[in-house]
Amino acid sequence: MSLDLLRTFLAVHRTGSITAAAQTLGLSQPAVTAQVKSLESALDRPLFDRLPRGVAPTPAADELARRVAPALDALDGVVESELPSDEAVHLGGPAEFLCEVVMPMLAPLVRDGLRLRFTLGLSDDLLADLAAGRLDLVLSTIRPRLRGVRADPVYDEEFVLVAAPFVEEPAPLVAYAEDLPIVRRYWRTVYGRRPSMAAQVVIPDLRGVLSAVRAGMGVSVLPAYLCRGDLAAGTLVRLAVPEEPPINTGYLAVRSGAEARPAVARVRAHLVKELRAAPPY
């Protein structure tokens, strides 16, 4: 039984998909299917149940993964450390949080030689890319519930209701999206109800929402880390100071086995330390 068969099996088990495993391994789907069938034949037992979307591991597959994963990950770690490469670490997350908070944290590692590739987007899409092997780490605003993905809470994001000081209420609402996800969360937490107003201005970038509110277009709910400087300078003011401000927890997710790569482990450890040391963002 070759290590290649076990590596392919483990990729399928971790991603829950022949297609995703093929992308992770750089193989064709038929090649991955053939290797899984070959392993099943060698073991004389089925390892996966085929589903309309993806595959589900059998109890035998779960037991095999439990037994072989630590050894394969350790072997990959030895290879990685003994034969260092200049492969970049691929990190995904919300555009605003990565640009405003995370990039400054990672600057010392980059000056020390680390290569990074950033992917900006929504948590659902980024987590799918993580499970498929296209990303190594993801900062997610939702708790990941994917097989083969481990996630740890690392930061709290505080939301504030703000406007320019010269804007009088009632003022137009500026929002990130038509369905007002951030505004709805704030209203439910602070006022115990859904907002009754609709957005007059919609900008699918929180930095754009900040600029619009700063310019006097209206009011909005924004993460505190984005507008803390404006609040200190007086170019924005808080319209409410609730006893318990709305908080959203952020997670750092890593694909099972990815931490065997020293560069990924280094970035993850650095971010966990830095993010957890800071107050709510």
Side-chain angles (χ1 to χ4, degrees), residues 92-173:
E96 301 83 4
F97 192 74
L98 281 186
C99 293
E100 297 292 327
V101 177
V102 175
M103 289 187 186
M105 288 181 176
L106 293 176
L109 301 189
V110 172
R111 290 194 295 269
D112 197 35
L114 177 71
R115 296 180 69 232
L116 284 171
R117 296 293 182 270
F118 290 95
T119 299
L120 313 178
L122 300 177
S123 293
D124 283 330
D125 297 333
L126 296 170
L127 290 170
D129 284 343
L130 178 69
R134 290 184 286 271
L135 294 173
D136 301 309
L137 296 162
V138 165
L139 282 158
S140 172
T141 56
I142 60 175
R143 187 182 187 91
R145 301 187 184 279
L146 296 170
R147 189 170 69 247
V149 171
R150 167 191 164 196
D152 300 292
V154 289
Y155 70 94
D156 286 325
E157 188 178 49
E158 179 184 343
F159 294 107
V160 293
L161 178 64
V162 294
F166 54 84
V167 171
E168 297 182 359
E169 296 188 71
L173 177 66

